[in-house]
Amino acid sequence: MTRPGPPARGPSSTDRITVAGRAIVAAWLLLYAIAFVRPLRNDPALPARALALLGAGAEGRRSIVYGPELHRFLSFCKEKLPDAATYALAGIDRSSIDWPRAIYLLYPARPAAHPRFILVYRNRGLSVDGASLFAALDDESFILRTPDERAGSGMGSR
């Protein structure tokens, strides 16, 4: 009876990387480098802005992203509005990215069809019948309080 031979040798970690493996790694590194270089070529100020975002605190990052004027207005509104208030935004386009940013920052106050407050952003000429000035940031940005009895403390219908 003959004895079986030694088992077949599997791949070992000391084997050299194949030519195809080297080509794949080189292509991956090239694409990775292009992904970093392309944005820098298109926008040379990108590293400075990225460093500013990294170095800023939460409010500083919001100010950079929202824009200093809008952030100042929304922070003012957040400070002045009661937590359960209902509001309407005037001066911020509903299709703008600033609309959901405002809704997010002003939470737990919420937008409503019959608001208790109207937040006016950069719109000096806006007037609402029976509304009175609640707080003013400047001549163009302010908060109006509506006399509408349907508007409640935030617990009413939406």
PDB file of all heavy atoms in Angstrom, residues 137-157:
ATOM      1  N   LEU A 137     -34.972  92.815  15.704  1.00  0.00           N
ATOM      2  CA  LEU A 137     -33.529  92.655  15.597  1.00  0.00           C
ATOM      3  C   LEU A 137     -32.931  93.911  14.969  1.00  0.00           C
ATOM      4  O   LEU A 137     -31.938  94.433  15.440  1.00  0.00           O
ATOM      5  CB  LEU A 137     -33.189  91.426  14.754  1.00  0.00           C
ATOM      6  CG  LEU A 137     -31.724  91.126  14.531  1.00  0.00           C
ATOM      7  CD1 LEU A 137     -31.037  90.795  15.850  1.00  0.00           C
ATOM      8  CD2 LEU A 137     -31.551  89.969  13.556  1.00  0.00           C
ATOM      9  N   ASP A 138     -33.568  94.384  13.892  1.00  0.00           N
ATOM     10  CA  ASP A 138     -33.191  95.632  13.236  1.00  0.00           C
ATOM     11  C   ASP A 138     -34.406  96.119  12.453  1.00  0.00           C
ATOM     12  O   ASP A 138     -35.507  95.614  12.646  1.00  0.00           O
ATOM     13  CB  ASP A 138     -31.946  95.449  12.346  1.00  0.00           C
ATOM     14  CG  ASP A 138     -32.090  94.332  11.323  1.00  0.00           C
ATOM     15  OD1 ASP A 138     -33.194  94.138  10.780  1.00  0.00           O
ATOM     16  OD2 ASP A 138     -31.084  93.648  11.052  1.00  0.00           O
ATOM     17  N   ASP A 139     -34.216  97.086  11.560  1.00  0.00           N
ATOM     18  CA  ASP A 139     -35.351  97.651  10.821  1.00  0.00           C
ATOM     19  C   ASP A 139     -35.992  96.664   9.853  1.00  0.00           C
ATOM     20  O   ASP A 139     -37.167  96.789   9.522  1.00  0.00           O
ATOM     21  CB  ASP A 139     -34.906  98.896  10.033  1.00  0.00           C
ATOM     22  CG  ASP A 139     -34.591 100.060  10.948  1.00  0.00           C
ATOM     23  OD1 ASP A 139     -35.050 100.038  12.105  1.00  0.00           O
ATOM     24  OD2 ASP A 139     -33.889 100.984  10.499  1.00  0.00           O
ATOM     25  N   GLU A 140     -35.241  95.696   9.377  1.00  0.00           N
ATOM     26  CA  GLU A 140     -35.751  94.778   8.357  1.00  0.00           C
ATOM     27  C   GLU A 140     -36.107  93.389   8.891  1.00  0.00           C
ATOM     28  O   GLU A 140     -36.743  92.620   8.207  1.00  0.00           O
ATOM     29  CB  GLU A 140     -34.717  94.625   7.239  1.00  0.00           C
ATOM     30  CG  GLU A 140     -34.480  95.899   6.463  1.00  0.00           C
ATOM     31  CD  GLU A 140     -33.477  95.691   5.356  1.00  0.00           C
ATOM     32  OE1 GLU A 140     -32.564  94.851   5.522  1.00  0.00           O
ATOM     33  OE2 GLU A 140     -33.608  96.358   4.326  1.00  0.00           O
ATOM     34  N   SER A 141     -35.665  93.042  10.074  1.00  0.00           N
ATOM     35  CA  SER A 141     -35.897  91.711  10.626  1.00  0.00           C
ATOM     36  C   SER A 141     -36.492  91.845  12.026  1.00  0.00           C
ATOM     37  O   SER A 141     -35.883  92.445  12.902  1.00  0.00           O
ATOM     38  CB  SER A 141     -34.573  90.936  10.698  1.00  0.00           C
ATOM     39  OG  SER A 141     -34.001  90.817   9.417  1.00  0.00           O
ATOM     40  N   PHE A 142     -37.689  91.262  12.197  1.00  0.00           N
ATOM     41  CA  PHE A 142     -38.402  91.419  13.462  1.00  0.00           C
ATOM     42  C   PHE A 142     -39.426  90.317  13.632  1.00  0.00           C
ATOM     43  O   PHE A 142     -39.656  89.518  12.722  1.00  0.00           O
ATOM     44  CB  PHE A 142     -39.068  92.801  13.541  1.00  0.00           C
ATOM     45  CG  PHE A 142     -39.801  93.192  12.289  1.00  0.00           C
ATOM     46  CD1 PHE A 142     -41.132  92.848  12.100  1.00  0.00           C
ATOM     47  CD2 PHE A 142     -39.161  93.903  11.285  1.00  0.00           C
ATOM     48  CE1 PHE A 142     -41.812  93.200  10.950  1.00  0.00           C
ATOM     49  CE2 PHE A 142     -39.824  94.266  10.129  1.00  0.00           C
ATOM     50  CZ  PHE A 142     -41.153  93.916   9.956  1.00  0.00           C
ATOM     51  N   ILE A 143     -40.055  90.284  14.796  1.00  0.00           N
ATOM     52  CA  ILE A 143     -41.099  89.304  15.114  1.00  0.00           C
ATOM     53  C   ILE A 143     -42.385  90.061  15.393  1.00  0.00           C
ATOM     54  O   ILE A 143     -42.404  90.985  16.206  1.00  0.00           O
ATOM     55  CB  ILE A 143     -40.716  88.463  16.346  1.00  0.00           C
ATOM     56  CG1 ILE A 143     -39.387  87.748  16.124  1.00  0.00           C
ATOM     57  CG2 ILE A 143     -41.812  87.453  16.674  1.00  0.00           C
ATOM     58  CD1 ILE A 143     -38.859  87.037  17.354  1.00  0.00           C
ATOM     59  N   LEU A 144     -43.454  89.639  14.717  1.00  0.00           N
ATOM     60  CA  LEU A 144     -44.784  90.215  14.943  1.00  0.00           C
ATOM     61  C   LEU A 144     -45.627  89.222  15.731  1.00  0.00           C
ATOM     62  O   LEU A 144     -45.543  88.015  15.505  1.00  0.00           O
ATOM     63  CB  LEU A 144     -45.469  90.519  13.614  1.00  0.00           C
ATOM     64  CG  LEU A 144     -44.806  91.543  12.698  1.00  0.00           C
ATOM     65  CD1 LEU A 144     -45.557  91.628  11.378  1.00  0.00           C
ATOM     66  CD2 LEU A 144     -44.752  92.903  13.368  1.00  0.00           C
ATOM     67  N   ARG A 145     -46.447  89.734  16.636  1.00  0.00           N
ATOM     68  CA  ARG A 145     -47.400  88.889  17.373  1.00  0.00           C
ATOM     69  C   ARG A 145     -48.774  89.126  16.765  1.00  0.00           C
ATOM     70  O   ARG A 145     -49.220  90.260  16.642  1.00  0.00           O
ATOM     71  CB  ARG A 145     -47.409  89.251  18.844  1.00  0.00           C
ATOM     72  CG  ARG A 145     -48.514  88.533  19.600  1.00  0.00           C
ATOM     73  CD  ARG A 145     -48.506  88.875  21.057  1.00  0.00           C
ATOM     74  NE  ARG A 145     -47.966  87.699  21.718  1.00  0.00           N
ATOM     75  CZ  ARG A 145     -47.384  87.700  22.875  1.00  0.00           C
ATOM     76  NH1 ARG A 145     -47.224  88.814  23.532  1.00  0.00           N
ATOM     77  NH2 ARG A 145     -46.943  86.589  23.413  1.00  0.00           N
ATOM     78  N   THR A 146     -49.452  88.055  16.391  1.00  0.00           N
ATOM     79  CA  THR A 146     -50.774  88.178  15.779  1.00  0.00           C
ATOM     80  C   THR A 146     -51.853  88.109  16.854  1.00  0.00           C
ATOM     81  O   THR A 146     -51.690  87.424  17.858  1.00  0.00           O
ATOM     82  CB  THR A 146     -51.010  87.056  14.743  1.00  0.00           C
ATOM     83  OG1 THR A 146     -50.955  85.802  15.414  1.00  0.00           O
ATOM     84  CG2 THR A 146     -49.985  87.092  13.640  1.00  0.00           C
ATOM     85  N   PRO A 147     -52.968  88.803  16.632  1.00  0.00           N
ATOM     86  CA  PRO A 147     -54.064  88.766  17.604  1.00  0.00           C
ATOM     87  C   PRO A 147     -55.025  87.611  17.356  1.00  0.00           C
ATOM     88  O   PRO A 147     -56.029  87.484  18.029  1.00  0.00           O
ATOM     89  CB  PRO A 147     -54.771  90.101  17.366  1.00  0.00           C
ATOM     90  CG  PRO A 147     -54.589  90.332  15.904  1.00  0.00           C
ATOM     91  CD  PRO A 147     -53.221  89.780  15.580  1.00  0.00           C
ATOM     92  N   ASP A 148     -54.739  86.756  16.386  1.00  0.00           N
ATOM     93  CA  ASP A 148     -55.639  85.690  15.971  1.00  0.00           C
ATOM     94  C   ASP A 148     -55.964  84.774  17.152  1.00  0.00           C
ATOM     95  O   ASP A 148     -55.067  84.187  17.755  1.00  0.00           O
ATOM     96  CB  ASP A 148     -54.985  84.893  14.846  1.00  0.00           C
ATOM     97  CG  ASP A 148     -55.936  83.921  14.185  1.00  0.00           C
ATOM     98  OD1 ASP A 148     -57.081  83.762  14.649  1.00  0.00           O
ATOM     99  OD2 ASP A 148     -55.526  83.313  13.191  1.00  0.00           O
ATOM    100  N   GLU A 149     -57.244  84.639  17.470  1.00  0.00           N
ATOM    101  CA  GLU A 149     -57.641  83.785  18.575  1.00  0.00           C
ATOM    102  C   GLU A 149     -57.477  82.314  18.261  1.00  0.00           C
ATOM    103  O   GLU A 149     -57.415  81.481  19.148  1.00  0.00           O
ATOM    104  CB  GLU A 149     -59.099  84.072  18.972  1.00  0.00           C
ATOM    105  CG  GLU A 149     -59.210  85.333  19.792  1.00  0.00           C
ATOM    106  CD  GLU A 149     -60.310  86.231  19.268  1.00  0.00           C
ATOM    107  OE1 GLU A 149     -61.218  85.733  18.617  1.00  0.00           O
ATOM    108  OE2 GLU A 149     -60.240  87.440  19.517  1.00  0.00           O
ATOM    109  N   ARG A 150     -57.436  81.963  16.976  1.00  0.00           N
ATOM    110  CA  ARG A 150     -57.224  80.568  16.620  1.00  0.00           C
ATOM    111  C   ARG A 150     -55.795  80.145  16.909  1.00  0.00           C
ATOM    112  O   ARG A 150     -55.500  78.986  17.085  1.00  0.00           O
ATOM    113  CB  ARG A 150     -57.498  80.339  15.126  1.00  0.00           C
ATOM    114  CG  ARG A 150     -58.961  80.493  14.799  1.00  0.00           C
ATOM    115  CD  ARG A 150     -59.170  80.241  13.352  1.00  0.00           C
ATOM    116  NE  ARG A 150     -58.486  81.279  12.575  1.00  0.00           N
ATOM    117  CZ  ARG A 150     -58.477  81.357  11.260  1.00  0.00           C
ATOM    118  NH1 ARG A 150     -59.094  80.457  10.559  1.00  0.00           N
ATOM    119  NH2 ARG A 150     -57.855  82.327  10.649  1.00  0.00           N
ATOM    120  N   ALA A 151     -54.889  81.110  16.958  1.00  0.00           N
ATOM    121  CA  ALA A 151     -53.486  80.801  17.274  1.00  0.00           C
ATOM    122  C   ALA A 151     -53.367  80.674  18.778  1.00  0.00           C
ATOM    123  O   ALA A 151     -53.779  81.540  19.518  1.00  0.00           O
ATOM    124  CB  ALA A 151     -52.578  81.895  16.760  1.00  0.00           C
ATOM    125  N   GLY A 152     -52.815  79.592  19.212  1.00  0.00           N
ATOM    126  CA  GLY A 152     -52.691  79.372  20.652  1.00  0.00           C
ATOM    127  C   GLY A 152     -51.244  79.334  21.061  1.00  0.00           C
ATOM    128  O   GLY A 152     -50.381  79.900  20.429  1.00  0.00           O
ATOM    129  N   SER A 153     -51.002  78.634  22.115  1.00  0.00           N
ATOM    130  CA  SER A 153     -49.655  78.532  22.632  1.00  0.00           C
ATOM    131  C   SER A 153     -48.858  77.470  21.908  1.00  0.00           C
ATOM    132  O   SER A 153     -47.758  77.147  22.307  1.00  0.00           O
ATOM    133  CB  SER A 153     -49.703  78.196  24.128  1.00  0.00           C
ATOM    134  OG  SER A 153     -50.276  76.917  24.273  1.00  0.00           O
ATOM    135  N   GLY A 154     -49.400  76.898  20.864  1.00  0.00           N
ATOM    136  CA  GLY A 154     -48.690  75.857  20.136  1.00  0.00           C
ATOM    137  C   GLY A 154     -49.409  74.535  20.209  1.00  0.00           C
ATOM    138  O   GLY A 154     -49.055  73.593  19.559  1.00  0.00           O
ATOM    139  N   MET A 155     -50.485  74.465  21.004  1.00  0.00           N
ATOM    140  CA  MET A 155     -51.206  73.221  21.151  1.00  0.00           C
ATOM    141  C   MET A 155     -52.449  73.177  20.267  1.00  0.00           C
ATOM    142  O   MET A 155     -53.161  72.198  20.264  1.00  0.00           O
ATOM    143  CB  MET A 155     -51.630  73.008  22.605  1.00  0.00           C
ATOM    144  CG  MET A 155     -50.472  72.943  23.557  1.00  0.00           C
ATOM    145  SD  MET A 155     -49.453  71.553  23.097  1.00  0.00           S
ATOM    146  CE  MET A 155     -48.227  71.627  24.370  1.00  0.00           C
ATOM    147  N   GLY A 156     -52.718  74.223  19.526  1.00  0.00           N
ATOM    148  CA  GLY A 156     -53.926  74.292  18.719  1.00  0.00           C
ATOM    149  C   GLY A 156     -53.823  73.477  17.451  1.00  0.00           C
ATOM    150  O   GLY A 156     -52.893  72.722  17.234  1.00  0.00           O
ATOM    151  N   SER A 157     -54.780  73.669  16.565  1.00  0.00           N
ATOM    152  CA  SER A 157     -54.779  72.903  15.309  1.00  0.00           C
ATOM    153  C   SER A 157     -53.695  73.413  14.391  1.00  0.00           C
ATOM    154  O   SER A 157     -53.253  74.539  14.482  1.00  0.00           O
ATOM    155  CB  SER A 157     -56.146  73.037  14.627  1.00  0.00           C
ATOM    156  OG  SER A 157     -56.358  74.365  14.275  1.00  0.00           O
TER     157      SER A 157
END
